Amino acid sequence: MNEKYQKIINKIQDAKGIIIGASNGLSISEGVHIFANNKDFQTNFGDLSVKYGFHSIIEGCFYPFPSEPEKWAFFSRLYNYFLYNKQVSSVMKNLYELIKVKNYFVITSNIDDHFRQAGFAKERLFEIEGNCSNLQCSNSCHDQIYPGDEILSKMNQHQEDGKVPLDLIPCCPVCSGPMQVHVEVDRNFLRGQSWQESYQGYQNFIDNVQGDELVLLELGVGARNKLIKAPLMNLTILHEKATYITFNKGTELFIPDTISSKSIGIDGDISDILQQLVLMK
Ligand SMILES: [Zn+2]
């Protein structure tokens, strides 16, 4: 097993570019499970779960709240749960430690903003489905994405009985309509200038490492994932000097035959694997 770890460390050291692809499994290894009705969910959203009948964070994200004060009670608590006064997890610390001096780019569907929190450069991040700390106009009347940290933490602190006071609720500075978090929960999700720039940044990164040693590091992406896994597997095929490295548990660890000769997979807890890699580095 140590040999496999050493090989991964060597590949990372030699790489001219590293693309990290991350999804829900990475968050789970940090202890954040948006699909679970667990203790964290009950502690943070238990009363809302009883009131509206949803049973996980992800169900809450898609719930049609009857009013703005109720909607913001949920989304400001979500911000609070993910980020407010939270220490960076050891998982994210180790991941950053492993690649911080390298030329890297991150593509993720996680909405918890934990890459930014851990120190990853914003211009090296493509958050495909947005993140819970940014705001946009719900009418998509204009393109601007607004940092929502201050307003979200205020709404979280001052809510009562599952409702945010009206005077704290943000409204669009252009059309005066409602706002929402910049997360892909409905058709209003903005893929405007800011999203396009991130997407373009990712494409440019791929173009610039053409012909060089490239590592595709996939963390906690499901075996059938089309959004992140399929593109990373394609890049592995297209790039002669690509190495595909994937960490996942049991049957979710999937390496197709077409790329098996260029791949390294480790079956296990991402948290333990990253810790081991940092210790050996
Ligand atoms: Zn507007």
Side-chain angles (χ1 to χ4, degrees), residues 15-193:
K16 297 287 186 296
I18 298 175
I19 296 175
I20 296 173
S23 180
N24 192 41
L26 179 66
S27 314
I28 293 174
S29 76
E30 288 185 274
V32 172
H33 199 329
I34 62 169
F35 291 91
N37 185 356
N38 56 13
K39 191 164 163 271
D40 271 5
F41 176 72
Q42 285 304 326
T43 305
N44 290 280
F45 306 98
D47 57 330
L48 305 185
S49 168
V50 170
K51 188 171 175 188
Y52 304 112
F54 57 72
H55 302 291
S56 65
I57 286 175
I58 195 75
E59 283 179 27
C61 285
F62 287 99
Y63 189 82
F65 290 96
S67 70
E68 286 289 294
E70 289 162 285
K71 173 181 95 177
W72 286 113
F74 174 80
F75 283 102
S76 62
R77 284 192 212 180
L78 183 66
Y79 171 82
N80 180 68
Y81 172 56
F82 282 154
L83 290 163
Y84 189 68
N85 273 348
K86 292 282 154 69
Q87 301 284 329
V88 177
S89 70
S90 60
V91 172
M92 296 305 289
K93 268 187 201 157
N94 283 334
L95 180 59
Y96 188 58
E97 185 58 35
L98 207 58
I99 61 103
K100 65 182 181 190
V101 297
K102 303 296 299 185
N103 178 32
Y104 67 84
F105 203 95
V106 177
I107 170 171
T108 184
S109 54
N110 291 349
I111 59 162
D112 51 30
D113 202 16
H114 283 183
F115 280 95
R116 180 185 67 145
Q117 185 202 28
F120 288 79
K122 199 176 171 294
E123 62 277 12
R124 291 175 179 270
L125 272 181
F126 177 31
E127 294 171 306
I128 310 168
E129 296 175 344
N131 85 50
C132 72
S133 70
N134 289 331
L135 307 180
Q136 66 158 87
C137 169
S138 285
N139 297 325
S140 327
C141 81
H142 69 299
D143 219 10
Q144 183 83 35
I145 306 297
Y146 299 89
D149 299 83
E150 202 178 316
I151 199 157
L152 284 160
S153 59
K154 222 181 229 175
M155 286 196 289
N156 173 63
Q157 282 160 30
H158 295 286
Q159 59 183 265
E160 267 177 49
D161 299 327
K163 286 179 186 166
V164 170
L166 283 171
D167 60 334
L168 292 182
I169 291 174
C171 60
C172 173
V174 176
C175 74
S176 304
M179 297 189 84
Q180 64 188 52
V181 287
H182 185 238
V183 169
E184 192 171 3
V185 292
D186 58 26
R187 269 182 286 173
N188 299 327
F189 179 69
L190 277 175
R191 288 187 185 81
Q193 195 184 343

Side-chain angles (χ1 to χ4, degrees), residues 196-230:
Q196 293 295 340
E197 276 170 11
S198 300
Y199 172 72
Q200 202 49 56
Y202 174 53
Q203 295 303 327
N204 293 344
F205 185 89
I206 294 169
D207 291 344
N208 290 336
V209 292
Q210 200 80 36
D212 290 332
E213 284 84 358
L214 175 66
V215 163
L216 294 313
L217 177 58
E218 187 202 270
L219 301 166
V221 183
R224 286 165 301 280
N225 180 288
K226 296 263 188 295
L227 198 61
I228 295 170
K229 191 175 187 88

